[in-house]
């Protein structure tokens, strides 16, 4: 980094703590910047493609401490889409190729493990007729493909699902991952248990019972070897979603269970996806890029999303409430766009910083910031990268539009 020349001759003061090595559970990281899990759209037929490997190698080469492979399903029925990585023995060699590529660039690799539950657009399920959720009955997301109903998970189902999370965690360890991020946000299965939108349990602690069970089982299986994180929606963006008081209670439950860090995200994929990104989504582009059944989903968003301008650090009002209530390490996510934002987040007591769109725009941003090369990201939060995840090419920045390197293919 010392060889990089400053942008416009300016040297910017960046908090030294952001670039110092630190400890996350059993894992040592070279800095506190993490590439957050963002759907890459590059797992053709559930395979780990060369493009997916290169995507994360570039993130590692750009200087993050850790990069996160998004949406690794713990079972084939746990996928939301057909083109989603499934953690099984068949994918192990290619997952190992991905972690080797990341490690060669000096970064750690994290696998985000998840189960879609009722948020499932697979044409056919292998284990059961209806997808599982915290509550049975009508399934609004599934109606878009003619799957009208979901089934409440039984005690036996919960034990089976817990075993699937544990098996996926062990396979991730075998594949060379250094950390796991259990996805408990955005409307996936564990989020469906946490949220009053899906779970009729009146108390947040009761709703957290199954997600906590999964966390404890994963920690027992791999917690001595891998850092185990949980990703949560601190605000769901829906009037019937969790309150901030509910989320504080849920975070305390996960802290007591022994999570190494919580990643504080927001929103629900179906009910309020714009809350995830802090501003409106480009519906026309999403509809144009979407294939088949995803077109009506994108069109539906156009009718519902509010007009809300993007603001840096847009999740700070909720995340700071969590920071004041728990002692567990926390990763701040949401609108970090400049070195000043990095300094402000660390000064507010957060332990690491999860970056998404700004790294899709420029994977080298951590190196630029550490060298004092530029004051702010060139990302405009246009969210066209969100639309691109549905395209044949996968997630990329519409502004920089970097071509796929020669020699890389869909295979």
């Amino acid at each position: 980094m010392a060889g990089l020349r400053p942008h416009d001759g300016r040297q910017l003061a960046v908090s030294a703590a952001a670039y110092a090595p630190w400890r996350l559970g059993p894992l040592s990281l070279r800095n506190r910047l993490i590439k957050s899990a963002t759907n890459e759209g590059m797992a053709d037929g559930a395979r780990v493609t060369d493009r997916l490997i290169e995507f994360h190698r570039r993130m590692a080469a750009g200087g993050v401490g850790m990069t996160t492979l998004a949406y690794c399903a713990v079972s084939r029925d746990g996928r939301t889409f057909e083109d989603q990585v499934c953690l099984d023995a068949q994918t192990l060699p290619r997952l190992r190729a991905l972690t080797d590529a990341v490690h060669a660039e000096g970064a750690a690799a994290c696998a985000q493990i998840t189960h879609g539950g009722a948020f499932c657009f697979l044409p056919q399920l292998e284990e059961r007729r209806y997808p599982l959720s915290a509550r049975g009955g009508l399934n609004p997301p599934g109606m878009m493909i003619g799957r009208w109903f979901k089934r409440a998970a039984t005690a036996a189902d919960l034990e089976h699902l817990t075993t699937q999370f544990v098996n996926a965690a062990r396979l991730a360890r075998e594949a060379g991952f250094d950390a796991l991020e259990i996805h408990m946000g955005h409307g996936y299965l564990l989020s469906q248990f946490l949220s009053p939108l899906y779970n009729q349990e009146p108390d947040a602690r009761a709703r957290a019972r199954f997600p906590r069970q999964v966390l404890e089982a994963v920690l027992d299986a791999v917690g001595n070897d891998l850092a185990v994180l949980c990703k949560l929606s601190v605000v769901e963006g829906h009037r019937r979603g969790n309150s901030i008081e509910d989320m504080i209670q849920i975070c305390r439950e996960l802290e007591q269970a022994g999570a190494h860090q919580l990643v504080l995200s927001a929103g629900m994929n179906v009910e309020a996806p714009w809350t995830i990104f802090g501003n409106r989504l480009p519906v026309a582009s999403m509809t144009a890029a979407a294939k088949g059944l995803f077109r009506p989903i994108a069109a539906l968003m156009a009718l519902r999303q509010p007009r809300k301008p993007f603001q840096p650090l847009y999740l700070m009002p909720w995340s700071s409430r969590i920071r004041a209530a728990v002692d567990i390490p926390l990763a701040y996510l949401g609108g970090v766009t400049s070195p000043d934002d990095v300094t402000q987040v660390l000064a507010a007591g957060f332990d690491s910083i999860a970056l998404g769109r700004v790294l899709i725009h420029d994977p080298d941003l951590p190196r630029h910031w550490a060298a004092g090369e530029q004051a702010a990201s060139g990302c405009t939060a246009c969210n066209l990268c969100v639309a691109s995840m549905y395209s044949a090419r996968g997630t990329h920045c519409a502004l920089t539009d970097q071509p796929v390197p020669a020699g890389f293919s869909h295979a």
Side-chain angles (χ1 to χ4, degrees):
M1 285 186 281
L4 297 175
R5 299 181 65 183
H7 180 67
D8 292 337
R10 294 174 294 167
Q11 289 293 338
L12 304 170
V14 179
S15 173
Y19 297 96
W22 69 296
R23 194 89 180 162
L24 176 58
L27 176 62
S28 294
L29 294 174
R30 65 183 177 186
N31 62 48
R32 295 178 184 267
L33 303 182
I34 297 172
K35 168 61 180 69
S36 66
T38 52
N39 190 354
E40 302 95 349
M42 299 175 188
D44 300 332
R47 295 174 300 162
V48 178
T49 62
D50 289 343
R51 290 183 304 132
L52 185 57
I53 293 171
E54 173 63 7
F55 180 89
H56 286 283
R57 187 204 66 79
R58 279 291 291 116
M59 295 298 166
V64 293
M66 181 164 71
T67 183
T68 310
L69 174 63
Y71 304 108
C72 299
V74 300
S75 70
R76 292 189 64 81
D77 280 2
R79 293 172 297 160
T80 296
F81 312 112
E82 288 185 286
D83 294 334
Q84 181 176 346
V85 173
C86 183
L87 276 164
D88 56 24
Q90 185 177 352
T91 60
L92 182 60
R94 297 292 290 167
L95 289 171
R96 171 61 77 171
L98 189 151
T99 59
D100 285 347
V102 169
H103 292 154
E105 300 291 351
C110 177
Q112 183 187 69
I113 59 175
T114 188
H115 190 293
F119 184 35
C120 172
F121 299 122
L122 300 177
Q124 185 174 350
L125 298 177
E126 297 181 6
E127 294 186 39
R128 55 187 60 86
R129 183 178 180 184
Y130 300 116
L132 297 177
S133 188
R135 182 176 64 190
L138 289 175
N139 182 23
M143 292 177 185
M144 298 177 186
I145 60 167
R147 185 174 290 122
W148 291 76
F149 300 100
K150 58 187 176 181
R151 179 167 70 79
T154 65
D157 290 327
L158 298 184
E159 287 301 320
H160 181 57
L161 289 164
T162 301
T163 298
Q164 289 180 328
F165 272 93
V166 167
N167 289 342
R170 288 174 172 152
L171 191 142
R173 178 176 60 187
E174 188 177 351
F177 284 96
D178 308 283
L180 296 171
E181 181 181 272
I182 305 174
H183 204 334
M184 298 184 180
H186 298 178
Y188 297 98
L189 178 68
L190 298 181
S191 176
Q192 291 160 30
F193 276 86
L194 292 175
S195 177
L197 283 168
Y198 288 85
N199 192 340
Q200 290 182 312
E201 291 279 2
D203 176 69
R205 185 175 184 181
R207 294 197 299 274
R209 188 177 300 117
F210 175 55
R212 176 172 176 164
Q213 173 183 313
V214 169
L215 169 61
E216 290 174 340
V218 169
L219 283 166
D220 286 345
V222 302
N224 290 331
D225 305 315
L226 307 184
V228 180
L229 298 72
C230 300
K231 189 171 191 174
L232 299 159
S233 294
V234 294
V235 56
E236 292 175 342
H238 192 284
R239 60 182 176 81
R240 293 192 290 112
N242 276 308
S243 68
I244 188 62
E245 290 77 18
D246 290 335
M247 289 311 304
I248 288 172
Q249 180 61 53
I250 289 167
C251 290
R252 285 172 174 163
E253 290 293 316
L254 301 176
E255 178 178 27
Q256 291 168 13
H260 295 133
Q261 183 167 254
L262 305 182
V263 180
L264 305 183
S265 186
M268 303 288 270
N269 278 315
V270 174
E271 291 82 4
W274 44 86
T275 307
I276 301 173
F277 304 103
N279 62 336
R280 290 171 61 84
L281 295 167
V283 175
S285 297
M286 293 180 71
T287 303
K291 295 178 288 185
L293 64 95
F294 302 109
R295 287 183 180 271
I297 298 173
L300 205 58
M301 289 180 187
L303 302 175
R304 300 178 54 206
Q305 62 179 344
R307 293 190 176 277
K308 184 178 181 180
F310 176 82
Q311 294 291 333
L313 305 184
Y314 58 88
L315 292 182
M316 188 61 79
W318 296 276
S319 297
S320 60
R321 292 278 303 276
I322 303 294
R323 177 68 289 169
V326 299
D327 294 324
I328 186 173
L330 298 177
Y332 178 84
L333 185 158
V336 175
T337 62
S338 70
D340 287 344
D341 291 342
V342 171
T343 301
Q344 184 175 335
V345 167
L346 293 179
F350 294 92
D351 302 88
S352 64
I353 298 165
L355 303 169
R357 287 167 291 184
V358 294
L359 292 180
I360 294 171
H361 175 76
D362 181 8
D364 292 323
L365 194 65
R367 296 172 63 244
H368 295 319
W369 283 353
E373 285 198 315
Q374 66 187 63
S377 166
C379 173
T380 63
C382 66
N383 292 331
L384 288 172
C385 57
V386 181
S388 73
M389 73 176 64
Y390 298 109
S391 69
R393 180 174 162 189
T395 301
H396 63 278
C397 178
L399 300 179
T400 54
D401 198 29
Q402 296 295 326
V404 178
F408 286 89
S409 67
H410 291 257

